[in-house]
Amino acid sequence: MKRYTDLVADALTRVREIQPWDLRNLLAEGRKLVLLDVREPAEFAMLCIPGSINVPRGILEQSCEWDYDETVPQLAASRELDIVVICRSGYRSALAADVMQQLGFISVVSLKTGVRGWNDYEQQLVDACGEALDADMAEELLAPRLRPEQRKPKVS
């Protein structure tokens, strides 16, 4: 039986990752990029990389195609553009980038370490209103919030 980390590792055999400093350099060069954040809307509203669009992982496939209720025109029209897929830590983005490649997107990469790494690299994050967040506040918002029932049961 495969586990989540196995699926991510498999996707990473086909997906290219870039580091936060690579993304910063591409943006500084003025490269036209589609920054696609695949986190859930509530996560995206708390903080995001400026200029990114939010398409949750759960509706990604339909959002990439024309003629669906979930179609995101900016995304459906971007099959030949450079796309950087972003999530919290780089796992969902790897899975999303893999799917997008299967759907015919020709230049899609995953941001290794996600917005957590972007924040660790001390790059700007903003909230839903576009207001800049300081790194400490962002760190607090990005911290794992596992509840006791979400932890693997201990074997007696």
Side-chain angles (χ1 to χ4, degrees):
M1 173 178 81
K2 287 190 175 187
R3 301 199 178 278
Y4 178 61
T5 53
D6 298 324
L7 296 174
V8 172
D10 181 55
L12 287 172
T13 65
R14 295 177 296 277
V15 169
R16 189 169 73 86
E17 293 181 292
I18 63 170
Q19 296 285 351
W21 49 87
D22 298 320
L23 176 56
R24 186 214 50 209
N25 291 342
L26 291 170
L27 292 170
E29 291 169 6
R31 288 278 295 274
K32 183 177 179 181
L33 303 171
V34 175
L35 303 178
L36 173 63
D37 192 316
V38 295
R39 294 176 299 143
E40 293 300 308
E43 293 176 279
F44 185 80
M46 283 193 299
L47 56 84
C48 65
I49 296 174
S52 57
I53 62 170
N54 181 226
V55 177
R57 173 72 192 91
I59 61 167
L60 178 65
E61 292 82 354
Q62 289 183 347
S63 299
C64 288
E65 300 283 339
W66 294 107
D67 302 320
Y68 288 95
D69 289 344
E70 292 80 10
T71 297
V72 176
Q74 181 182 0
L75 188 56
S78 298
R79 289 187 188 277
E80 298 186 15
L81 298 179
D82 294 327
I83 299 173
V84 179
V85 187
I86 303 160
C87 68
R88 182 175 165 267
S89 61
Y91 294 159
R92 285 177 282 179
S93 60
L95 294 171
D98 189 36
V99 166
M100 291 178 75
Q101 288 176 161
Q102 292 175 55
L103 291 172
F105 286 79
I106 62 169
S107 181
V108 58
V109 297
S110 173
L111 180 62
K112 188 171 186 159
T113 71
V115 291
R116 290 184 75 190
W118 184 255
N119 187 58
D120 289 345
Y121 192 54
E122 299 181 0
Q123 298 302 297
Q124 184 182 25
L125 290 166
V126 296
D127 64 16
C129 298
E131 298 294 323
L133 297 171
D134 69 55
D136 292 335
M137 173 60 81
E139 184 69 29
E140 185 177 318
L141 292 171
L142 291 166
R145 305 234 189 304
L146 282 173
R147 297 182 307 272
E149 68 271 16
Q150 292 176 306
R151 299 198 182 276
K152 185 176 181 176
K154 293 180 182 175
V155 178
S156 326

